[in-house]
Every structure is written in C-alpha cells, then in structure tokens.
Amino acid sequence: MNELQFETSPYLLQHASNPVHWKAWNTNSLSEAKDKNKLIIVSIGYSACHWCHVMEHESFEDNAVASVMNDHFINIKVDREERPDVDAVYMKAVQIMTGRGGWPLNVVTLPDGRPVWGGTYFRKEEWIQTLDQLQEMYQVTPEKMIEYAEKLHEGIQSIEIVQSDSKEDSVNQKQVESLVEKWKKSFDWEFGGMARAPKFMMPNNYQFLMRFAHQKKDSELLDFVNLTLTKMAYGGLFDTIDGGFSRYSVDMKWHVPHFEKMLYDNGQLVSLYSDAYKLTKKPLYKEVIEKTLRFVEKEWLTAEGGFYSALDADSLNEKNHLEEGAFYVWKIAQLKTILKDDFDLFSQVFNCNSFGLWEDENYVLIQNQPLEKIAEQNNISAIELQTKKKNWEYLLYIEREKRSKPRLDDKCLTSWNAIMLKGYIDAYKALKDEKYLNIALKNAAFISKNLWSTEGNLNHNYKNGKSTINGYLEDYCFVIAAFIGLYEVTLDEKWLNDAKQLTDYSLEHFYDEKKSFFAFTSNLDVALISTHYETEDNVIPASNSVMAKNMYQLSIYFNNSYYEKISEQMLHLVIPGIDYPSAFSNWLDLGLNYSGENRELAICSAEAKTYCQEINGLYIPNIVLAGTQKTSTLPFLKDRYTNEKNLFYICQNKTCQMPLSDFQQIINDLKT
C-alpha cells in the first residue's frame, strides 16, 4: 500500500497515487526493512524539481517498475526540504560513489540504512535492470554487499568534519586576500557570476565579495559584483513581469532559468540587493527589491504571517500537459498582439531576437543593455522608456495571469521563513518602507507562536496547523540571525533575548565539544547512519558558519566570552583549510570581522531609533549596532544611557572611545 496519502508534504503527496508502495521516512518503515531483511530504496526529491517529476512519470507511475520495487524492496520517499538531514547523509554517499550529486537522489541501502548503491536520475530500463542485479546480489552474495557498505560508511564518516592542524590564534588576513585573488580567476567578466554553466546565484558569495571590495577599496572587484547583480536583474533568471528569481540559469548569460522559484533564494537575494542599493543607490536594484517582495507577498505570504516554500518549474501548457517554463515564455505572435505598435521597441529592450530565443520559438524576456542606451538610440527620454517598460510589463502580467500557474508548495519551513524574514528586514533598512517591517514582525510572531514549542525547541515544518518535525541547526541559526536583525531595526531587546535563548538551546542540544562544531541534528533525535556537520556554504550558507557569525555578534551584546571563544574556534578550524573560496564565503565574511576594521556602535538617546534607522540605511558592513531609548540592562548598553543626552559610543577591540554627541561626526568616523 502507498502510505504517502497520510503525509502533508506536497512532494510526498505528489507520489501518493503511484503504484509503488511508498512509505515515509520514519522508525516504522526502517524497522520493517530489518524485520523482513529487505533492501531499502530511498528516493529523495522536492516538489519543484523538474527531473523528479520526469522520473516519477517514466518509472514510479509504471506498473512494471512498481512490481519490481514492491516485491523486493522497502520503498521510502523523502522530501529533502522536510528532511535535509537524511538528504545530506545520502548525498555524501552518492558523491563518493559517483563523483556528483543532484535530485532526484536515489539510493539503495542495506536493511540498517547503510548505502550500497546510488545515483540521480535513471531511465526506466536502467532502473529496473539495476534493481534486479542488486536484489540478486543481496540474495546470493550478501557478504560482498555488506563489505562494500562498511567501506562506504567509513568514507562518509571520514568527510564529516573539518580537520585543521592550525595553531594560529588570529585569522590570517593575507590568506583571505590571496583566496579572493584566486577566486577572481573564475569570474565571468562579460555576464558576471562564475565562468561556467549552469549558473547559480550564490547570494552569500556576493555579500562577501561586496563587503571585501568595499573595505579593501577594490574598485575592480566592486565593478564585478555590480556587473553580476545587474546582469542577474536584467531578466531571464529574474521574472521582470512579476518579480522573483528562479533557482538558476542553464546558460552563461543568466537567460534560460530552471523555472522553479524558491523562498530561500528570494529571501537571500532581497538581502543582497538591499545592501547593494545602500551602497550604489542604483534604481534597478530598488526595482528588483520591490518587485520581488510584491511577488512574495502575493504568492507566498499566508494569512497567519508565514511564507510558503516554492513554485514548481512545471506548469500546464496550452495542450494541458505539464511543461517546464510554460507559464513564463512568449511567442512573437502573442507579443505582437498584446503590444501592438510598441512591439519593435519592446523587442529591442527584451531581445526578441537570437539573444532572447530559447527553444520551439519560445522567448524568455531578457535585457542586455541599459534603458538609457536604448532610449538614446530611439531618440526618446529614459524616463519615457522606463514608463513604457512598466506599462508593457503590466500588460503581459494581465495576460500571463490567465495561464495555468505553476504548482505551489504550501508547506512552511522555519529556516526558509527566517531567511525571508531577514530579507524583509534588510529591505526595510534600505528603503525605509514600513510595510516591510510590519510583514517582518508578523512573520516573527508566526515563528514564535507556531514553530517554537514550550519545551524550548524549534520545529522545522508547518502545514495545516501542525508542526511534525523537530528543528535542525539550520532552523536555529537563521531564526537567531533574523531576530538579531529585528533588534537592529526595532531596538526591542526581546528579540536579542529570544536569540540568546535559542543559542543556549543550540549549545545544549547540537554543539559537539570534541569536534568544536554544531551537529546538524539535535541530540534528542534518532541518530542516522552518520552525524552530519554542515560546514560548507552552498546556495544557502552552512548552518555552522551562520551560527558562528551569530555567536560573534551575541558575544558583544551580552559580553559573553564563551560565545566568542566558540565562534573563534570554529573559524580558526575552517579558514586554514580553505581551497575553494566560494564554498566558504560566509566563513570568510566572518573572518573580515577580525581584520581590525570592525567596530561596535552604541546609540543611547531618546531618539535612538531614528539615529539607528539612518545608520541602517548606510552600507557599513563592519559594525555591530546597538541602541536604546531608555536605561538598559543589556551588558553592552548598561550604564550608558543618560536622560536628555544623545550619546554615541564607538568601540573597537573591547575598547570604547569617550562618548560623542555629534551624530554627523559618528557617521564620518564610521565611513573612514
């Protein structure tokens, strides 16, 4: 029997009508494999995954395939977004076995869960043939399979944690600089990003590179970051009609996306473009922020204040068949009908030519020139062209809304909600739109009410009023970071105290003193075949790198030397072993905190919130900001507030200057 009908995950429910006797990942399913001495098929994917849908249609909906799977295996379907711990362990196994990974992720394991074979997408015939061979081997020579599983298990465990023999007490800033120089050799100086395809956006990479360029006054590197952000914003990857970014582009020019839209990408990109706007004041960046948040609010914001997870890559085409990108692409005839006399000018802006052509006469809208240049070529003002562009996008939006929309993944994940919450906070800092702050506060209340239990733990998921999975380190680190951000804009110390409470819970249930890192799963959860310590930054920063940055900041607010020690220890273990900088950009960002340029600012004034708002609107990535409008017991602010005085304290290396009362002088000092 297919048991997925009893689940809430949209991905699992997509497979609930398969003839395969799918089970969810739980103790009952795993126990059944041991009791019946059957191999396990662990098939991992997510709701917006195009090739997951393809393999489902080709294999899992096929009765012949189902017969093989049902007769000889315990079949377990896993939503990687609900169970990132399971995904991480088996992804490592597949990467060891094949040298690559991705989704769908398909693994065959012994009855105890240790993997013996795996890969990603398989065609029907190959899938059946492989399963038959594995089943026969397990019946005839199980000892060979067990021996292989033991060796593979050792390999998985051997790469679980960063090892370093470094005895350095401080971060080697020369190493950070040399890593950036090495990194520059991989840059695409024509379209931005890395010189390869497919192209992932990797927002944390550009957060770090922008900060490094700004602090080191590296104008060439800053130009590269702006080139990348501009090209990403020009369309294709970015939905210029309705806002929001797709997950990645399959080409070098950010043109043809893998059309799924993910909450975590858009949350991080709003933060990145908000920082870039503070630094450059480019109108294009503001447009990206506003369009993206309008899309998020319209498509993902729930009545309770939570955010849904994703929109699928696939949608129904004119023939009522699921097709990747069907919702987003255009044909010339359609565009001419909608735009009429403006089509020629429109086609110049959005490249209705060989540059913008995808396949099957479908065009994906993308700019490759600034509007000012096109306006000049056509003897019109840039303002007039900008107005036309806005009107064209509205006309296309109205027409596109008549199409069948991509499927919605309507679960709420704590970590992704916190990432989007941080995006709203950063947008509020940059644009000062109170609406963004209100949505941020509503989402923080949603997390506190529905995902933070009375026992002190966070839960990972929420749907239909229920949270069923205990939280992972990624949930704690991103909620803590978001709560710190909320403090920076509200000065409400409740958010800092909540962040500290969650940090202390993490130390109790995730921190491994012997490894000096946090495990990905709580010590209250059932152990998997291997403990996972997430240390490499990817499309989402590693939970350990985010936690290390949180503890650095909280150590200052609470004068907590234990937090500081753990953060430094983690950093010193990671930095010396870095070879591939893009996989450790968040660690490198933390490393800049020890460059001698970091400072802390305490604003003690009845007008502190106003002053903090001005500071938050500036791009000053190397300060920790605190403020109070009354007497405070927060250790960093204690005994610093005086009635009817505006006092500004700049501190560095645990030493504070005498308080100043001239706010403009403070700004000048921070900018130097």
Side-chain angles (χ1 to χ4, degrees):
M1 182 181 102
N2 189 324
E3 298 178 4
L4 299 185
Q5 60 188 297
F6 305 114
E7 299 299 312
T8 59
S9 157
Y11 176 65
L12 299 186
L13 289 172
Q14 285 173 5
H15 292 77
S17 59
N18 295 168
V20 176
H21 292 169
W22 290 119
K23 300 176 183 294
W25 180 279
N26 54 49
T27 53
N28 291 338
S29 302
L30 300 172
S31 296
E32 184 177 343
K34 290 182 180 178
D35 293 343
K36 294 183 177 180
N37 193 30
K38 281 190 171 186
L39 295 175
I40 302 172
I41 294 174
V42 181
S43 182
I44 304 172
Y46 58 101
S47 70
C49 168
H50 172 69
W51 288 103
C52 299
H53 302 327
V54 173
M55 189 167 177
E56 177 191 16
H57 178 66
E58 292 178 348
S59 295
F60 302 145
E61 292 178 352
D62 185 90
N63 287 317
V65 173
S67 178
V68 173
M69 294 174 67
N70 296 338
D71 288 347
H72 303 298
F73 299 87
I74 297 298
N75 306 297
I76 298 179
K77 246 307 165 191
V78 176
D79 182 340
R80 69 169 295 263
E81 296 167 356
E82 283 197 340
R83 294 304 304 255
D85 55 334
V86 176
D87 176 62
V89 169
Y90 289 116
M91 181 64 76
K92 281 192 172 76
V94 169
Q95 287 171 335
I96 291 172
M97 288 186 278
T98 69
R100 60 189 180 87
W103 300 277
L105 186 69
N106 293 288
V107 181
V108 173
T109 82
L110 295 176
D112 62 7
R114 288 181 295 170
V116 294
W117 173 88
T120 53
Y121 164 78
F122 296 94
R123 295 191 181 279
K124 173 184 169 181
E125 294 76 16
E126 183 184 7
W127 180 245
I128 291 176
Q129 183 181 21
T130 302
L131 294 183
D132 283 339
Q133 291 172 348
L134 289 167
Q135 167 59 16
E136 183 179 357
M137 182 184 294
Y138 190 60
Q139 292 300 317
V140 177
T141 56
E143 65 279 359
K144 289 185 178 180
M145 196 173 276
I146 292 170
E147 181 183 0
Y148 178 75
E150 288 174 349
K151 290 180 180 178
L152 180 57
H153 190 221
E154 290 173 4
I156 296 170
Q157 291 180 314
S158 70
I159 61 172
E160 279 296 351
I161 195 65
V162 174
Q163 301 291 338
S164 174
D165 298 324
S166 174
K167 300 294 190 295
E168 292 186 26
D169 293 327
S170 59
V171 176
N172 185 340
Q173 296 296 323
K174 291 293 183 184
Q175 184 191 3
V176 175
E177 292 172 11
S178 66
L179 284 169
V180 172
E181 288 304 311
K182 176 183 178 181
W183 199 349
K184 288 180 179 180
K185 296 175 183 177
S186 303
F187 290 175
D188 179 347
W189 288 94
E190 182 178 4
F191 293 105
M194 299 302 108
R196 60 176 178 265
K199 265 187 175 170
F200 287 84
M201 297 163 290
M202 307 295 285
N204 190 254
N205 282 187
Y206 301 104
Q207 288 276 17
F208 163 71
L209 290 172
M210 182 164 57
R211 178 182 175 184
F212 183 91
H214 177 69
Q215 289 186 206
K216 304 302 179 184
K217 296 178 173 56
D218 185 337
S219 58
E220 182 187 53
L221 181 57
L222 197 57
D223 287 345
F224 170 74
V225 173
N226 277 305
L227 170 70
T228 300
L229 267 60
T230 299
K231 294 294 187 179
M232 288 198 306
Y234 267 172
L237 185 77
F238 178 67
D239 182 359
T240 189
I241 292 175
D242 192 28
F245 289 84
S246 295
R247 189 163 162 255
Y248 63 87
S249 70
V250 300
D251 54 73
M252 293 280 286
K253 59 187 184 183
W254 306 108
H255 179 214
V256 180
H258 191 34
F259 288 91
E260 64 205 28
K261 289 181 179 179
M262 313 300 293
L263 182 67
Y264 62 79
D265 283 324
N266 285 281
Q268 292 180 91
L269 286 162
V270 167
S271 292
L272 173 61
Y273 278 90
S274 294
D275 280 352
Y277 178 74
K278 290 196 292 187
L279 180 60
T280 67
K281 296 300 186 215
K282 285 188 69 169
L284 177 64
Y285 296 170
K286 182 181 181 184
E287 180 184 338
V288 166
I289 298 164
E290 292 176 336
K291 280 184 175 178
T292 300
L293 292 183
R294 190 163 60 240
F295 160 78
V296 170
E297 183 183 353
K298 178 170 63 78
E299 299 292 344
W300 286 337
L301 181 63
T302 75
E304 294 177 279
F307 298 112
Y308 292 138
S309 293
L311 284 181
D312 205 329
D314 299 352
S315 52
L316 294 173
N317 61 19
E318 293 174 345
K319 298 177 181 178
N320 215 36
H321 296 145
L322 282 175
E323 178 184 330
E324 184 179 10
F327 180 73
Y328 298 99
V329 299
W330 301 91
K331 295 188 185 297
I332 294 293
Q334 295 171 321
L335 293 170
K336 285 184 174 179
T337 299
I338 297 166
L339 299 163
K340 299 182 173 57
D341 293 343
D342 268 354
F343 172 76
D344 288 342
L345 185 55
F346 174 92
S347 66
Q348 288 182 53
V349 173
F350 286 115
N351 287 285
C352 298
N353 50 39
S354 59
F355 188 88
L357 179 63
W358 176 27
E359 61 183 17
D360 300 327
E361 299 181 357
N362 287 319
Y363 288 80
V364 178
L365 304 183
I366 184 171
Q367 286 182 243
N368 63 351
Q369 298 181 76
L371 287 184
E372 293 78 7
K373 184 175 181 181
I374 297 173
E376 184 179 347
Q377 292 169 351
N378 287 273
N379 296 314
I380 61 174
S381 71
I383 294 175
E384 183 182 353
L385 184 55
Q386 180 66 47
T387 301
K388 280 182 174 290
K389 176 175 176 281
K390 191 172 182 179
N391 184 53
W392 297 335
E393 289 168 350
Y394 176 72
L395 291 173
L396 293 180
Y397 170 78
I398 295 299
E399 185 64 29
R400 203 176 75 176
E401 284 294 291
K402 299 173 186 176
R403 299 176 180 177
S404 177
K405 285 195 173 186
R407 291 178 292 185
L408 171 70
D409 186 320
D410 63 350
K411 66 178 180 293
C412 296
L413 298 176
T414 304
S415 52
W416 297 9
N417 267 252
I419 289 170
M420 192 71 248
L421 165 56
K422 182 70 160 51
Y424 270 94
I425 294 166
D426 290 334
Y428 172 69
K429 289 179 179 179
L431 303 183
K432 298 180 174 59
D433 188 330
E434 289 290 329
K435 180 180 182 180
Y436 298 155
L437 177 58
N438 292 335
I439 291 175
L441 288 167
K442 187 175 181 181
N443 181 250
F446 166 80
I447 291 172
S448 298
K449 177 184 176 183
N450 298 293
L451 292 158
W452 192 356
S453 80
T454 53
E455 284 75 35
N457 66 295
L458 290 172
N459 285 315
H460 178 63
N461 65 326
Y462 181 85
K463 186 179 174 183
N464 298 335
K466 294 180 181 178
S467 296
T468 56
I469 301 172
N470 191 25
Y472 305 106
L473 184 64
E474 69 173 34
D475 299 307
Y476 290 83
C477 71
F478 287 117
V479 170
I480 292 166
F483 283 1
I484 293 173
L486 268 182
Y487 165 74
E488 291 172 333
V489 294
T490 65
L491 303 187
D492 185 347
E493 292 174 15
K494 161 195 159 43
W495 299 114
L496 276 188
N497 289 322
D498 285 353
K500 184 179 187 302
Q501 186 176 337
L502 290 169
T503 300
D504 292 339
Y505 185 94
S506 302
L507 286 166
E508 182 178 355
H509 294 289
F510 292 86
Y511 186 61
D512 185 331
E513 290 188 356
K514 293 180 180 178
K515 303 286 189 182
S516 297
F517 286 94
F518 292 82
F520 191 75
T521 51
S522 165
N523 57 16
L524 299 177
D525 289 328
V526 177
L528 300 177
I529 60 168
S530 181
T531 303
H532 177 45
Y533 300 86
E534 187 179 60
T535 54
E536 288 194 17
D537 300 318
N538 204 299
V539 292
I540 298 177
S543 47
N544 268 290
S545 71
V546 178
M547 188 62 82
K549 289 177 78 171
N550 290 339
M551 296 187 80
Y552 169 86
Q553 210 164 340
L554 292 173
S555 74
I556 293 168
Y557 288 133
F558 290 98
N559 191 24
N560 190 312
S561 59
Y562 183 58
Y563 290 178
E564 181 183 30
K565 176 186 174 184
I566 289 175
S567 177
E568 284 192 38
Q569 198 168 32
M570 294 164 74
L571 183 63
H572 291 154
L573 283 170
V574 171
I575 290 283
I578 295 176
D579 180 54
Y580 191 60
S582 69
F584 297 92
S585 54
N586 206 40
W587 293 105
L588 292 172
D589 194 276
L590 175 60
L592 288 181
N593 290 355
Y594 296 91
S595 64
E597 297 161 0
N598 247 54
R599 284 173 282 186
E600 301 91 45
L601 172 63
I603 299 177
C604 301
S605 163
E607 304 298 323
K609 193 178 291 187
T610 301
Y611 291 125
C612 284
Q613 188 177 46
E614 188 163 344
I615 295 292
N616 282 324
L618 303 172
Y619 184 69
I620 312 175
N622 55 315
I623 65 163
V624 175
L625 177 65
T628 185
Q629 299 186 132
K630 59 184 179 181
T631 300
S632 172
T633 58
L634 186 70
F636 184 63
L637 297 175
K638 191 176 180 183
D639 300 327
R640 286 187 166 167
Y641 181 84
T642 302
N643 283 331
E644 298 179 2
K645 283 190 177 182
N646 297 327
L647 298 176
F648 307 98
Y649 298 81
I650 293 181
C651 310
Q652 193 172 21
N653 296 327
K654 297 185 174 63
T655 302
C656 293
Q657 303 171 9
M658 291 295 292
L660 300 173
S661 57
D662 184 344
F663 184 61
Q664 188 57 50
Q665 183 180 344
I666 291 293
I667 292 177
N668 294 340
D669 288 350
L670 290 174
K671 285 184 174 181
T672 57

